Amino acid sequence: MTKEDKIQMYRKNQEKQIKSRKSKIIALIIVPVIGAALTLLIGTIGNNRQNEIASATVLENRSVGDFLGQNDNGSAIYTGTVKAVDPVSIMEENGEYISLHRKVEREEKIYDKDSDKYDTKTKVISDDNDHCSEIAMSDVVVPYSFFHNLPSFSDTRSEGAASNLTKTTFTYTPSQIEGTFFLKCEKGKVTSAQYYGSEDVAGESKRGFVIAKVIIWIIIIGIVIYLILGIMRASEAIKNIEEKCNESGG
């Protein structure tokens, strides 16, 4: 390679690093703006949800059916038990469920001579999903798809030797659960049922939106740190290339 070819190669690499640094600087400006916009959006949605909860009717001595009979549209808070009308089951597991997901995987450790270590190869043996069609709530029946954030539980079991392991993960929602539900109703029917683990629906909802904001900014800060380090590395590379070009007489 001649001196001119080497200098040309250095210059191309330098241009590449300059473009990379420029794109990272632009991203460094845009990412916090996106974070601020998402925070504002979540705040707006959270405030709207708080207003909806505050105006909802708490069903203490009334059934859901009674509320619907008197209100074609509106929102209510129901605390009690809900149960699958047509619970689902799977042969390999005992019990009946609102929803279930059973995944069986085989993990095989294979020795790689080149790297002198064992690599894990995973193969899915089976992957089954199912859920009921309807859920009974108080004296009404609501389609499963109208429920949101129902609690689920997970159990993982492993069988066999470590070099040839069969892992079963079973995630499910029991056929009957207790909780508090924020209901939205239209035309005399429940169109949305949001599950909450406690009767403090407003407090739990507010905490959920606060956590969402925190997660967003953790991600944003992580991206910003990554971009700053990338800019520093690119700047250092540009400086080193310039020094090499000068040494080569370019």
Side-chain angles (χ1 to χ4, degrees):
M1 180 181 293
T2 64
K3 183 189 293 185
E4 289 76 14
D5 290 338
K6 187 179 293 186
I7 291 172
Q8 187 177 7
M9 182 186 69
Y10 287 152
R11 289 304 180 190
K12 285 183 178 180
N13 192 16
Q14 188 179 44
E15 289 176 6
K16 182 179 178 181
Q17 292 295 336
I18 290 171
K19 288 180 180 179
S20 175
R21 182 176 65 176
K22 183 179 178 181
S23 64
K24 287 182 172 63
I25 291 172
I26 294 172
L28 188 61
I29 297 170
I30 294 175
V31 167
V33 175
I34 294 174
L38 289 174
T39 301
L40 183 62
L41 177 62
I42 290 174
T44 301
I45 295 173
N47 290 335
N48 290 339
R49 177 57 57 86
Q50 289 294 308
N51 291 334
E52 289 176 345
I53 292 172
S55 62
T57 301
V58 179
L59 304 180
E60 293 180 331
N61 299 313
R62 299 167 62 189
S63 69
V64 176
D66 288 340
F67 174 79
L68 293 175
Q70 299 173 15
N71 302 271
D72 283 343
N73 302 293
S75 55
I77 295 175
Y78 164 76
T79 299
T81 302
V82 299
K83 184 177 181 180
V85 175
D86 51 339
V88 295
S89 60
I90 191 167
M91 183 174 61
E92 294 83 358
E93 304 288 340
N94 295 323
E96 295 181 327
Y97 308 93
I98 287 177
S99 65
L100 61 85
H101 179 202
R102 188 177 189 273
K103 187 175 184 179
V104 181
E105 300 171 289
R106 178 169 292 129
E107 294 183 353
E108 184 179 0
K109 293 189 180 297
I110 302 173
Y111 179 70
D112 187 339
K113 292 182 180 179
D114 295 333
S115 61
D116 191 26
K117 65 178 183 180
Y118 285 91
D119 294 330
T120 301
K121 181 180 179 182
T122 302
K123 179 181 179 181
V124 177
I125 306 301
S126 63
D127 193 352
D128 300 302
N129 289 277
D130 202 0
H131 61 76
C132 65
S133 299
E134 296 178 316
I135 298 176
M137 170 185 286
S138 182
D139 53 349
V140 300
V141 172
V142 181
Y144 167 83
S145 59
F146 289 178
F147 283 82
H148 307 286
N149 293 347
L150 290 175
S152 64
F153 305 90
S154 186
D155 175 40
T156 300
R157 305 186 300 271
S158 299
E159 297 177 345
S163 59
N164 191 20
L165 195 68
T166 299
K167 185 172 71 174
T168 302
T169 303
F170 184 55
T171 304
Y172 63 93
T173 298
S175 63
Q176 182 172 307
I177 57 173
E178 293 184 2
T180 297
F181 297 83
F182 173 64
L183 311 178
K184 289 185 179 181
C185 309
E186 295 179 10
K187 298 179 181 180
K189 294 183 178 180
V190 175
T191 56
S192 176
Q194 180 88 20
Y195 170 86
Y196 290 93
S198 69
E199 294 185 29
D200 182 16
V201 174
E204 194 172 333
S205 175
K206 186 176 182 179
R207 285 192 294 274
F209 284 103
V210 170
I211 290 171
K213 290 179 183 179
V214 170
I215 291 173
I216 284 174
W217 281 103
I218 288 174
I219 295 172
I220 294 296
I221 291 170
I223 294 173
V224 167
I225 292 172
Y226 171 79
L227 290 171
I228 290 174
L229 292 175
I231 291 169
M232 292 172 63
R233 285 193 295 267
S235 297
E236 185 67 24
I238 293 167
K239 181 182 176 182
N240 292 336
I241 292 170
E242 189 64 35
E243 290 176 354
K244 289 180 180 179
C245 286
N246 292 335
E247 290 173 0
S248 301

